[in-house]
Amino acid sequence: MVVTALSRIVIRLLLLGIVESFGLFDTVVEAAGALTSSASCLGFPPMTTLRLIPTDNIVVFPGMDVTLPISVGDESTVLLVPREGTNFASVGIVAEVLQSVRLPGGVRAVNLKGLRRGIAGAAQPDSEGNLRVEVDERPDENPPAEEVAELELQYRALIAEILELRGDDGRIASFVRDIKEPGTLADTSGYSPDLSYAQKVELLELIDVKARLTRALELQQERLTELQLRKRIREDVDTGAQKQQKEYLLRKQMESIRKELGEDDESVIEEYRTQIAESGMSDEVREQAERELGRLERMGDSSPESQTIRSYLDWLVAVPWGVLSDEALDPVAARRVLDDDHAGLDDVKQRITDYLAVRKLRVERGIEPDRRAGVVLTFVGPPGTGKTSIGESIARATGREFVRIALGGVRDEAEIRGHRRTYVGALPGRLVRALRDAGTMNPVILLDEVDKLGNDWRGDPSSALLEVLDPSQNHTFRDHYLDIEVDLSDVLFLATANVVDSIPPALLDRMEVIRFDGYTVVEKTAIARDYLMPRQLKQNALREGEVAVADEVLRLVIDEYTREAGVRQLERELGKVLRKTATKVATGDVDVVTLDIEAVREALGRQKFFTEPASRTSVPGVATGLAVTGVGGDVLFVEVATMPGKGGLVLTGQLGDVMKESAQIALSYVRSHADDLGIDRSLLRDREFHIHVPAGAIPKDGPSAGVTIVTALVSLLSGKPVKNTMGMTGEVTLRGRVLPIGGLKQKVLAAHAAGLTDVILPKRNEPDLEDVPEEVRKAIRFHALGSIDQVLEIALENKAAASALAA
C-alpha cells in the first residue's frame, strides 16, 4: 500500500509537468523503478502495465462506450482516470481500444469501451514519454443473490418510474431489464445526466458491489423526487395558464353577450346609481357608495378588483337604510299576544308591556326618542323554558321583524364585526346580515346562547358585543366590512343564556337579566294541554276529535316520565304517545282514542322517575338538600357514615372546592359544639367520617349544602333520622349562622316536584318567596331560620332510631 501511494505521487508530478520543469525527470524515473523493484521483493502480485489517460470532467464506467480526441498509438488497452482540475479519482477504468476514428475537422480520436475498474500503482514513462502505470484490476465480485435481490428490485422500480417521467420510448427500459449482474446494474447510474461529476466519481470508487448498488439507489431516489417535483410544478403552471386563458375567453364572450342584451358596464353603473339614490342612505353612506361606484366605473368590469367593489356595493344597497317597521304600541294587545303564545312568564310579559307603554307615551306626547334609553333583555334559565320562543312572541306583539343569531361556539370576532375587505371572501358581520334579512332597521334580534361564546387567537366576540349591547354606543356601530357607521339604536336586542357565570361581567352589566326559573306542575299541565298537545297532534297527522286526554294523565307523564325545569322532554314524551295513537288510527283499529294511564304505560314503558325522599331519609345520617343545576332545580341527598380511624374526612361524589370546604366547616362545627348538640364526644374521638353526595357521576359545587351536611352529621351521631318530608338549603358558618343563598325559586320548585312538604331556608331569603308561584307556596310549609340550632330542632325526629354507631 505504501508503494502504491508513492507511485500515485509520481504519477501526479509527471502529469503536472513539475518533474521536467525542475530537471528531475531521470531521478523520478529511477525512483519509480526502485519502487517497482521493491514491490516485487515484498511479494506483491504482478500488475498489468497500461498507459494512463486522464479524462477531464468525464467519468467512464464498465460497459460504457466513449470517444476521446486522443492518440493511443498501438495500445489495445489503456487506463482511464477521471480528472477535475488537479484532482484525480482514486479508481479508474481499464478500457479497450476499439478503433481509431477521424472527427469532423480532421481531428484524430479513438473509440474506447470500459471493461472493469482498476487502481493505479507504480508509474514510469515509456520511451515515447507517455506515462504508464501498473494497474490493480478489480472486476466485480458479485455478492450472494439473497443479499442484493431486494436492492435490485427497488433499483429497477425506481429506474422504471424515472424513465416514465422522462417519456422513455421503451428502449432504455429494455436495456435495463436485460442487465443481470448487480454491479453492472448499479453502474447504469453513470449514464444519468442528472448526477453530478462528484456523485459519479463516488460510484466509480465504490469497489464493493452491494455498497455501490445501495448508493446508486439513494442517488436515484433523490433524482426521482426532484423529477416528480418538477412535473408537479410544470402541471400547476400549465393549469394556471389554461385557467387564465379560459377565463379571458369567457370574459370576452360575456362582454359580447351583455352588449347584445344592453347590459354593458354603463348599464350596470346606472343600475347601481339608481339603487343608491333610492336606498335612503345617509349623506355619509351615500358619499362612500358613490366613491366606490366611481372606482368601479374607472377600472371597468375586466379588472380583478371590480368584483370586490361590486360585492361591497351590493351589501351597501342591501342594508335597509331608513326602513322601519310600523311598531304596534298597544300594551294591552301585546299582552294578549304574549298570553296566547306562552303560559306563565309573567315577569317577561310585564317587562315588555312596560316597554311598550313608555314608547307609546313618548310618541303621544311628542318626546324625541332617546338613544340612551334602549333596552337589552337577557333571559336566563334552564333549557326548555321558552326563552327562544318568547323572543318570537315579543316580535309579533310589537309588530317587528324577528331575526335569531345563534352564538353558541362562535369564537371569531369577525362574526360580529365582519371581515375587512382585504381578505378573500370577506363578508359583513352577523348583525348587518340580520338587518338585511329583516328588511328593516328596527327588528327584534335575539342573540341566542350568549353564555356559550368562545374566544381564541382570532379575537373575543363577547368584547365586540360590548358596543352592540350598549344603548349609548350602538348608534355608531362600525362594521369592519362596510367601514361606515350603522345605527343599531332602533333594534330591540334580546339575549338568552342558561347561566350567567360564563358571561363576562362587562357584558352582563349592559344586560337586564330576567330569570326563567322553570314551570310548576300546574303550569306544565296547562302548557301540555293548550300548546304541546295541539302541536303534536298536527305533527302526527291527528285531528283534535280523534284523541282525548285528561289532565290527570298529563300530570302522570310530567311526574313519572320527566324531570326537568322546562317542557322539552315533556313534548317528546307526548309525541311518542301520539305516534302510538296514530298507528292505531291508521290501521283502522279505532276511530277515537282516549289516552289513559294504561295507554301511557304501553307507549312510554315503565316509570322512569320516582319520589323517594321518604325511603332515603328513613335512617340516621341522610338528609335531603336542594340544589340548582344547569337544567333547573334538583333534590340531592347527603349521606354520612363513620368508622374507627384517625379522625379524617373522606368526601366523594365529585364535589367542587367550595362544597368540600362546606363539609369541613360542617364537621368542625359539630366537633366544636358536641356538648351543645347533645353528642357524646367519644363518638367523635378516633373516628373517620365519610360524606357522599349521589349521584357520583354528576359534578357538584356551592356553599348552600352546608346546612344539609350539618344536619346529616348530627342525625348520624344522635341517632335521630331527618324528617322524610323535609328539604333544606343554606350556607353555614363555624358559629352556626345560616347565610342566604341563590336560586331559591328553582330549589323550591324542585322540592315541590319531589313531593316535599317542608322546606328550611335562610332567614334573609324569606322575601324571595314572593317569586314562588302561589300554588307552590300553599303546598309547602316554609321555615325561614337564622341559626343551625333552629334547623336541627325542626329537621330531626324527636325519637332516636337504632343508632348506626351501635355496630
Side-chain angles (χ1 to χ4, degrees):
M1 297 302 294
V2 175
V3 172
T4 301
L6 292 173
S7 298
R8 288 178 182 170
I9 295 173
V10 172
I11 292 170
R12 292 178 182 273
L13 292 174
L14 289 171
L15 291 174
L16 295 174
I18 298 175
V19 174
E20 295 182 4
S21 63
F22 286 94
L24 300 175
F25 183 82
D26 295 335
T27 304
V28 172
V29 170
E30 291 177 1
L35 289 172
T36 304
S37 176
S38 300
S40 301
C41 296
L42 292 172
F44 287 98
M47 300 183 187
T48 305
T49 301
L50 300 175
R51 180 178 172 180
L52 188 146
I53 304 295
T55 56
D56 293 328
N57 299 318
I58 298 176
V59 183
V60 181
F61 284 84
M64 184 181 294
D65 291 335
V66 62
T67 300
L68 298 177
I70 59 174
S71 175
V72 295
D74 296 332
E75 300 287 344
S76 61
T77 307
V78 296
L79 179 67
L80 304 179
V81 179
R83 178 177 66 180
E84 184 180 30
T86 59
N87 297 318
F88 288 83
S90 62
V91 176
I93 288 293
V94 177
E96 179 185 3
V97 179
L98 298 178
Q99 62 180 343
S100 297
V101 296
R102 185 180 296 274
L103 299 177
V107 179
R108 301 291 299 178
V110 291
N111 191 0
L112 304 168
K113 181 176 182 178
L115 299 177
R116 65 191 70 85
R117 286 171 171 76
I119 301 176
Q124 61 183 0
D126 58 12
S127 58
E128 298 178 2
N130 298 316
L131 185 63
R132 307 181 67 84
V133 294
E134 292 185 355
V135 180
D136 180 9
E137 299 187 17
R138 296 294 184 91
D140 287 343
E141 296 180 3
N142 292 327
E146 59 273 11
E147 293 185 11
V148 294
E150 182 63 27
L151 291 174
E152 287 188 54
L153 288 175
Q154 294 183 26
Y155 185 83
R156 293 179 188 275
L158 272 177
I159 295 300
E161 287 190 61
I162 292 173
L163 293 176
E164 182 180 356
L165 290 173
R166 283 196 170 277
D168 176 43
D169 59 1
R171 289 180 296 176
I172 300 178
S174 176
F175 166 73
V176 174
R177 280 196 301 270
D178 292 339
I179 297 175
K180 306 301 182 184
E181 301 297 330
T184 306
L185 184 65
D187 287 340
T188 57
S189 294
Y191 293 94
S192 173
D194 296 320
L195 296 188
S196 65
Y197 169 83
Q199 290 173 330
K200 292 181 179 180
V201 170
E202 181 184 2
L203 283 178
L204 180 65
E205 293 177 343
L206 288 173
I207 304 298
D208 182 72
V209 172
K210 183 177 180 181
R212 189 194 316 157
L213 186 57
T214 301
R215 181 55 181 157
L217 182 63
E218 293 173 355
L219 293 174
Q220 295 296 352
Q221 180 63 60
E222 295 174 2
R223 180 185 173 204
L224 175 62
T225 303
E226 182 180 353
L227 288 174
Q228 289 174 336
L229 179 59
R230 289 178 182 175
K231 180 183 178 183
R232 188 159 56 248
I233 293 174
R234 184 170 60 252
E235 289 176 349
D236 291 343
V237 172
D238 292 343
T239 302
Q242 293 174 5
K243 183 178 179 182
Q244 289 180 357
Q245 185 177 11
K246 180 181 178 181
E247 289 179 353
Y248 175 78
L249 293 175
L250 290 175
R251 192 173 289 110
K252 287 298 182 182
Q253 292 176 2
M254 286 177 60
E255 289 180 4
S256 300
I257 294 172
R258 288 171 58 188
K259 285 181 179 179
E260 292 294 330
L261 296 174
E263 297 179 355
D264 54 1
D265 290 348
E266 293 183 2
S267 62
V268 172
I269 298 298
E270 287 301 321
E271 182 180 352
Y272 275 123
R273 189 167 282 116
T274 302
Q275 291 178 348
I276 292 171
E278 297 175 353
S279 64
M281 298 177 179
S282 64
D283 294 339
E284 178 187 357
V285 179
R286 181 177 290 104
E287 181 180 349
Q288 173 71 6
E290 291 176 349
R291 186 184 304 118
E292 294 295 325
L293 185 60
R295 290 182 59 205
L296 178 62
E297 188 175 11
R298 288 190 298 273
M299 69 176 54
D301 198 39
S302 60
S303 172
E305 194 178 354
S306 63
Q307 188 56 47
T308 303
I309 299 176
R310 292 185 64 172
S311 298
Y312 177 75
L313 291 173
D314 288 339
W315 276 107
L316 271 185
V317 298
V319 176
W321 306 102
V323 179
L324 299 174
S325 300
D326 293 331
E327 190 174 9
L329 299 178
D330 187 352
V332 177
R335 180 58 186 255
R336 186 163 51 248
V337 171
L338 295 174
D339 287 338
D340 290 342
D341 291 347
H342 291 80
L345 305 179
D346 289 334
D347 293 346
V348 185
K349 296 175 181 177
Q350 187 60 48
R351 182 64 184 86
I352 296 301
T353 303
D354 295 344
Y355 169 77
L356 292 177
V358 173
R359 296 272 297 182
K360 181 180 179 181
L361 289 177
R362 281 184 172 275
V363 172
E364 291 178 349
R365 299 178 180 181
I367 302 175
E368 288 294 329
D370 185 2
R371 288 177 173 175
R372 300 176 180 270
V375 58
V376 180
L377 301 181
T378 301
F379 307 139
V380 179
T385 52
K387 300 185 298 297
T388 302
S389 59
I390 193 68
E392 299 182 33
S393 297
I394 291 173
R396 195 161 71 89
T398 57
R400 300 186 181 205
E401 297 295 327
F402 176 76
V403 183
R404 172 180 167 270
I405 299 178
L407 296 179
V410 173
R411 296 177 175 273
D412 191 353
E413 178 195 4
E415 290 287 332
I416 307 298
R417 291 187 175 275
H419 302 82
R420 300 190 184 278
R421 280 192 288 162
T422 53
Y423 296 106
V424 176
L427 285 174
R430 292 198 182 190
L431 291 169
V432 172
R433 281 181 271 168
L435 294 177
R436 187 269 319 263
D437 295 341
T440 66
M441 296 297 288
N442 65 335
V444 174
I445 295 182
L446 178 69
L447 305 176
D448 208 9
E449 308 292 353
V450 73
D451 59 325
K452 297 175 179 61
L453 281 170
N455 62 80
D456 58 14
W457 55 271
R458 289 169 290 188
D460 185 359
S462 60
S463 297
L465 285 176
L466 293 177
E467 179 185 3
V468 174
L469 300 183
D470 190 339
S472 63
Q473 299 181 30
N474 60 14
H475 64 282
T476 57
F477 173 74
R478 184 176 289 271
D479 184 90
H480 285 163
Y481 181 81
L482 297 182
D483 198 25
I484 53 176
E485 292 183 355
V486 180
D487 187 358
L488 300 178
S489 61
D490 292 321
V491 176
L492 176 57
F493 284 104
L494 306 177
T496 70
N498 294 129
V499 294
V500 298
D501 299 340
S502 56
I503 301 177
L507 184 60
L508 186 63
D509 183 61
R510 288 162 167 78
M511 300 174 173
E512 181 178 340
V513 176
I514 299 177
R515 298 192 176 273
F516 284 49
D517 294 320
Y519 299 106
T520 65
V521 175
V522 174
E523 290 174 335
K524 288 183 179 180
T525 304
I527 293 171
R529 180 184 63 247
D530 300 334
Y531 300 94
L532 304 184
M533 283 295 293
R535 186 159 62 198
Q536 286 299 318
L537 286 172
K538 184 177 180 180
Q539 290 183 4
N540 291 283
L542 295 170
R543 301 188 182 96
E544 288 190 21
E546 292 176 331
V547 179
V549 59
D551 287 356
E552 291 75 13
V553 177
L554 296 176
R555 279 196 291 270
L556 173 73
V557 177
I558 293 169
D559 291 336
E560 299 185 4
Y561 292 94
T562 65
R563 184 64 56 85
E564 59 178 344
V567 293
R568 193 167 288 158
Q569 181 64 28
L570 174 60
E571 184 173 10
R572 281 194 286 265
E573 299 296 336
L574 292 177
K576 190 182 298 184
V577 173
L578 292 180
R579 283 194 294 274
K580 297 289 185 181
T581 304
T583 302
K584 295 179 180 179
V585 174
T587 55
D589 294 342
V590 292
D591 295 329
V592 178
V593 177
T594 300
L595 296 180
D596 54 12
I597 297 177
E598 183 179 350
V600 171
R601 299 283 189 216
E602 180 184 354
L604 302 182
R606 64 182 183 276
Q607 182 178 351
K608 297 179 181 178
F609 297 98
F610 300 87
T611 303
E612 57 179 355
S615 60
R616 293 286 289 269
T617 60
S618 59
V619 296
V622 182
T624 305
L626 305 175
V628 176
T629 68
V631 295
D634 200 2
V635 172
L636 58 81
F637 299 94
V638 176
E639 301 175 350
V640 181
T642 183
M643 67 289 292
K646 299 181 180 179
L649 175 62
V650 179
L651 302 173
T652 56
Q654 282 209 60
L655 308 185
D657 293 338
V658 177
M659 199 166 183
K660 289 178 180 179
E661 293 175 357
S662 296
Q664 293 281 0
I665 292 171
L667 182 58
S668 297
Y669 174 80
V670 172
R671 281 176 169 167
S672 61
H673 294 77
D675 296 336
D676 299 335
L677 298 174
I679 297 174
D680 186 357
R681 286 193 173 274
S682 63
L683 300 177
L684 297 169
R685 192 176 303 114
D686 297 329
R687 299 191 71 85
E688 288 189 356
F689 290 88
H690 185 165
I691 299 177
H692 177 63
V693 184
I698 302 175
K700 311 165 191 71
D701 204 359
S704 62
V707 166
T708 311
I709 298 173
V710 172
T711 304
L713 283 168
V714 175
S715 170
L716 176 69
L717 296 172
S718 65
K720 297 178 181 180
V722 179
K723 295 176 181 178
N724 55 32
T725 62
M726 187 72 66
M728 60 192 73
T729 180
E731 179 181 355
V732 69
T733 70
L734 287 173
R735 301 302 177 188
R737 293 180 56 81
V738 178
L739 301 182
I741 45 79
L744 181 65
K745 180 181 177 181
Q746 297 184 48
K747 294 178 180 179
V748 171
L749 292 178
H752 181 253
L756 299 176
T757 59
D758 291 87
V759 171
I760 294 176
L761 64 146
K763 182 70 174 177
R764 288 166 57 183
N765 282 114
E766 189 171 12
D768 297 335
L769 292 175
E770 295 180 2
D771 298 332
V772 178
E774 184 177 357
E775 65 269 17
V776 176
R777 293 203 303 267
K778 291 180 178 179
I780 295 179
R781 291 187 298 271
F782 295 99
H783 307 276
L785 307 175
S787 67
I788 195 66
D789 297 336
Q790 298 171 336
V791 172
L792 297 174
E793 183 179 352
I794 294 177
L796 299 179
E797 297 283 3
N798 293 327
K799 184 178 180 181
S803 177
L805 299 178

